[in-house]
């Protein structure tokens, strides 16, 4: 938002390099190492330097809050309820959600996003309509068609869920390019 805080969060499995991604993109300084680093949600707040890219009169961009989430979908995690809580928190308070995925898009991830859509629809939690962006990495087959097919299957699944909820998907989340 031009006058408020722009919130960016990351979701993904444990050890999928979520903190590394945020450090690279935004210079956050989140701790990184093999195994579990982040517990719950960690935050980094900054205001970008003035730039001609920002549409404000002074060229100063909105303040940015970056949320680094604990790894999800792991055997050692606190369970699917906790995963759902973390994912829902990120999706309901973020303008941009980076879904950092190592390997193939899993059924577990689809189910987790489905639960979030259900909660967002029925609990009326979403004041912000998050834009989900999938970061696909460490793929066995790196061809464009394989990536496009994975993203298309995810979009189709989430659209089917939205139909069952009686709400168009684009009223809950934005999925550009998938």
């Amino acid at each position: 938002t031009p006058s408020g805080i722009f919130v960016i969060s990351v979701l993904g499995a444990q050890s999928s390099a979520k903190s590394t991604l945020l450090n690279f993109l935004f210079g956050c300084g989140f701790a990184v190492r093999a195994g579990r680093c982040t517990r719950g949600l960690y935050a980094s707040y900054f205001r970008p330097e003035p730039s001609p890219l920002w549409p404000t009169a002074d060229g100063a961009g909105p303040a940015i809050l970056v949320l680094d989430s604990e790894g999800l979908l792991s055997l050692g995690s606190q369970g699917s309820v906790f995963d759902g809580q973390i994912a829902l928190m990120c999706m309901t308070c973020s303008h941009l959600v980076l879904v950092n995925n190592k390997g193939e898009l899993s059924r577990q991830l689809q189910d987790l996003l489905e639960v979030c859509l259900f909660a967002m629809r029925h609990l009326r939690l979403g004041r912000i309509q998050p834009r989900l962006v999938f970061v696909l990495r460490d793929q066995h087959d790196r061809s464009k068609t394989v990536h496009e097919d994975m993203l298309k299957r995810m979009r189709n699944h989430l659209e089917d869920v939205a139909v069952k909820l009686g709400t168009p998907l684009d009223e809950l989340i934005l999925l550009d390019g998938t």
Side-chain angles (χ1 to χ4, degrees):
T1 66
S3 61
I5 297 173
F6 190 81
V7 181
I8 301 168
S9 61
V10 67
L11 292 174
Q14 181 179 338
S15 299
S16 63
K18 295 175 300 300
S19 301
T20 302
L21 177 66
L22 295 177
N23 290 344
F24 177 77
L25 293 174
F26 306 107
C28 296
F30 292 121
V32 294
R33 69 175 183 270
R36 184 176 301 226
C37 288
T38 308
R39 301 256 183 213
L41 289 172
Y42 291 176
S44 180
Y45 175 85
F46 64 94
R47 191 167 205 82
E49 295 292 321
S51 165
L53 299 175
W54 298 112
T56 58
D58 63 357
I64 296 177
L65 180 67
V66 178
L67 299 176
D68 185 11
S69 69
E70 180 171 335
L72 307 174
L73 311 170
S74 69
L75 296 175
S77 76
Q78 297 182 36
S80 61
V81 171
F82 181 76
D83 288 353
Q85 291 169 337
I86 290 285
L88 185 59
M89 172 70 180
C90 289
M91 288 180 65
T92 57
C93 74
S94 300
H95 298 90
L96 176 64
V97 179
L98 303 172
V99 182
N100 192 34
N101 194 76
K102 184 177 180 180
E104 305 296 315
L105 291 173
S106 69
R107 179 65 191 185
Q108 286 178 301
L109 179 61
Q110 281 185 351
D111 292 346
L112 183 62
L113 295 176
E114 181 176 336
V115 167
C116 289
L117 291 180
F118 178 85
M120 290 169 72
R121 166 68 173 89
H122 290 290
L123 299 176
R124 306 271 188 229
L125 292 175
R127 290 187 178 172
I128 298 171
Q129 185 181 24
R131 180 175 309 275
L132 268 64
V133 175
F134 290 86
V135 179
L136 302 177
R137 41 181 300 277
D138 299 342
Q139 304 292 310
H140 177 70
D141 185 342
R142 296 180 185 200
S143 68
K144 183 178 177 181
T145 55
V146 169
H147 287 177
E148 288 171 346
D149 288 346
M150 273 195 294
L151 293 171
K152 186 175 183 179
R153 282 194 305 274
M154 178 64 79
R155 174 184 271 289
N156 290 342
H157 175 77
L158 295 176
E159 284 177 343
D160 290 346
V161 169
V163 166
K164 290 176 189 169
L165 293 173
T167 302
L169 183 62
D170 61 1
E171 287 184 17
L172 297 169
I173 61 174
L174 299 172
L175 285 173
D176 295 342
T178 56

